[in-house]
């Protein structure tokens, strides 16, 4: 059984699964696990690892439209180097500061591979789930897509300073809070835009029509990949931790004024569940599988 | 650097570290990671693993005197067997039911070794920390000590039904809530009673005088070990997830009436920071290091 099938099974076993984070009595809770082999390319500093791991959990809180309260982490490594640990905590604390949350430490674990588990908690009385998109709504994405793809190129090329900088991101907590009043459905783009759209389509039982020209490809990715490749990777690489949401068309301008990040209208919600297209062609459901 | 030294370093880097769980604005948050090799003996069912992993996080919430709200878990395994997953979620959900919390799923991860990360969240306006023990208070422990030590014997002997049953425990959330009004310091016994007492002594800057006869050795451990060995292991094996707390002596009877579990007075708090004794002899600071 692959992970997506397994996740569907878990989704059927517990009521609250299926969104980026669970909500119980207004409390939003999420947990993630990241590994050196799959998530931290060679050259990722411990500062960046702490930032990115905790940031991924904070992004899940953001995707629910919640304020972030606090985050914790387990630092698992074969040995505990004081500098490494200090850097990890510094990165974890810094990303929390960016979203007005508190990093409250956590635990250590003796693991063969560098492994990080993080959890974040938030609060909201009106969580935005994935299942409310309505035909006629517009599909929007915050920021740009492809920063992580560009970072991977810089890691591969040995430009570690640039790579690490691109690997750190601001979780869209403030944007999520501004969007929650208006968004009919929301999630983060951690699986890539293409897969995210398919997940919204499945949860909301609708289709989508996307306009390729409107997809905000990260300028950093245009420096490392040609135009076609940059576009494909911006759509599918994932791990950019932007917000993907649906909005009534008439609120877009109002919402834009309230956001601290750019908001791009990249498509429209349609009733036909069988149709998810990009520039008139079927959009393959491919992307990053965690 | 060993884990305890590393934890002290992390404790110095983030304000909220040092207790069983962190508290931010009345929200209690904790995270743990468990592994097949170190935490789940051969023969541990996935049902028991789900129960125990989530239970460990709920125990941290209990140790702060908080109501438990919800828990999440990451299930990491080399492959996803539907029955295994279903059992894991069933165990995780069941232990949450026991403490009026909700298991809200979580995530899956592809790991070489079976690995579980769990987080739990709770609420309290009056968290009990480790640093408030005062000379003259009595030292108390809930339930009995040595169930996990007995479970390990049954795992080794191949009596897996008995072993799994002993490995599942009720997190002391209700007891923690009842104790929070009165307890001057509290933690759970996950590192064993001996080490827990040393941790309370360090945090509260006090000493302890323990009475060996009063230590509630689990009857199950008396079946698998002789009296001396049972006593030593009850003190040091840990992972029993009972509460260890200090109370003003005059409230013990009142508190006992409010608890759904037995409460044993096992010693007294003294001012002398240099003295932690059991039956007049120094009590070694040994136990389970996570």
């Amino acid at each position: 059984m692959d992970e997506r099938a397994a996740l569907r099974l878990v989704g059927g076993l517990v009521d609250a699964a299926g969104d980026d984070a669970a909500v119980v009595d207004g409390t939003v809770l999420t947990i993630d696990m990241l590994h050196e082999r799959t998530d931290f390319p060679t050259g990722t500093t411990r500062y960046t690892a702490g930032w990115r791991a905790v940031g991924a959990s904070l992004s899940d809180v953001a995707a629910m439209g919640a304020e972030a309260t606090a985050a914790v982490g387990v630092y698992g490594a074969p040995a505990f180097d004081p500098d490494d640990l200090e850097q990890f905590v510094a990165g974890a604390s810094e990303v929390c500061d960016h979203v007005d949350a508190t990093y409250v430490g956590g635990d250590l674990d003796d693991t063969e591979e560098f492994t990080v588990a993080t959890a974040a908690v938030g609060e909201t009385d009106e969580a935005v789930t994935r299942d409310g998109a309505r035909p006629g709504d517009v599909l929007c994405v915050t920021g740009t897509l492809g920063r992580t793809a560009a970072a991977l190129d810089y890691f591969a090329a040995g430009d570690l300073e640039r790579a690490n900088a691109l690997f750190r991101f601001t979780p869209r907590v403030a944007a999520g809070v501004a969007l929650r009043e208006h968004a009919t459905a929301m999630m983060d783009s951690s699986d890539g835009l293409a897969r995210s759209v398919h997940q919204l389509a499945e949860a909301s039982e609708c289709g989508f029509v996307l306009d390729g020209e409107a997809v905000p490809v990260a300028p950093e990715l245009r420096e490392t990949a040609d135009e076609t490749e940059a576009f494909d990777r911006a759509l599918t690489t994932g791990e950019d931790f932007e917000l993907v949401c649906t909005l009534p068309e008439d609120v877009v301008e109002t919402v834009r004024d309230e956001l601290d990040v750019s908001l791009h209208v990249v498509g429209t919600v349609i009733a036909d569940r069988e149709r998810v297209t990009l520039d008139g062609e079927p959009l393959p459901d491919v992307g990053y599988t965690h």
Side-chain angles (χ1 to χ4, degrees), chain A residues 201-289:
Chain A
E202 187 179 345
S204 294
E205 297 181 346
C206 64
F208 284 95
V209 173
L210 273 73
D211 171 18
E213 289 237 324
V215 174
V217 179
E220 296 88 350
L221 185 57
R222 295 202 190 274
E223 292 170 28
T224 61
D226 70 32
E227 200 172 319
T228 310
E229 193 201 330
F231 181 77
D232 286 347
R233 291 171 68 199
L235 271 185
T236 59
T237 301
E239 299 281 311
D240 284 320
F241 303 103
E242 294 295 344
L243 294 178
V244 183
C245 65
T246 55
L247 292 171
E249 190 169 11
D250 58 6
V251 304
V252 171
E253 287 315 311
T254 311
V255 168
R256 252 191 203 131
D257 291 343
E258 295 168 7
L259 292 184
D260 60 349
V261 61
S262 58
L263 185 75
H264 307 270
V265 176
V266 298
T268 312
V269 181
I270 58 170
D272 184 358
R273 171 71 191 93
E274 298 304 309
R275 209 165 141 225
V276 176
T277 62
L278 174 75
D279 296 338
E281 300 294 319
L283 175 68
D285 181 10
V286 292
Y288 190 86
T289 298

Side-chain angles (χ1 to χ4, degrees), chain A residues 34-237:
Chain A
L34 301 178
H35 299 272
E36 183 138 50
R37 183 170 41 89
T38 46
D39 302 292
F40 304 119
T42 305
T44 307
T45 65
R46 287 293 195 259
Y47 179 79
T48 297
W51 178 303
R52 191 168 174 86
V54 170
S57 288
L58 292 169
S59 178
D60 287 334
V61 170
M64 306 305 293
E67 274 102 7
T69 309
V72 283
V74 177
Y75 179 99
F80 302 115
D81 177 84
D83 287 344
D84 283 355
L85 248 181
E86 208 164 317
Q87 285 303 304
F88 179 87
V89 171
S93 301
E94 185 71 26
V95 72
C96 283
D97 285 351
H98 274 261
V99 298
D100 289 330
T102 310
Y103 184 66
V104 289
D107 210 349
L108 301 170
D109 197 19
D110 181 23
T111 55
E112 277 174 45
E113 186 189 10
F114 176 54
T115 302
V116 181
T118 54
V121 66
E123 298 292 330
T124 179
D125 290 329
E126 36 182 347
V128 188
T129 54
R130 296 181 181 181
D131 58 2
R134 296 166 310 193
D137 286 348
V138 291
L139 174 69
C140 298
V141 60
T142 60
T144 63
L145 300 173
R147 272 173 61 97
T148 284
L152 295 175
D153 291 339
Y154 283 110
F155 276 117
D159 186 347
L160 300 183
E161 199 175 325
R162 190 92 199 269
N164 275 283
L166 284 169
F167 234 38
R168 298 190 295 267
F169 62 93
T170 302
R172 300 300 182 199
V173 174
V177 169
L179 283 162
R180 74 179 169 205
E181 264 185 67
H182 308 287
T184 50
M186 189 154 67
M187 63 185 297
D188 78 4
S189 72
S190 59
D191 294 339
L193 179 61
R195 176 148 289 162
S196 299
V197 169
H198 278 279
Q199 289 170 340
L200 289 176
E202 187 179 345
S204 294
E205 297 181 346
C206 64
F208 284 95
V209 173
L210 273 73
D211 171 18
E213 289 237 324
V215 174
V217 179
E220 296 88 350
L221 185 57
R222 295 202 190 274
E223 292 170 28
T224 61
D226 70 32
E227 200 172 319
T228 310
E229 193 201 330
F231 181 77
D232 286 347
R233 291 171 68 199
L235 271 185
T236 59
T237 301

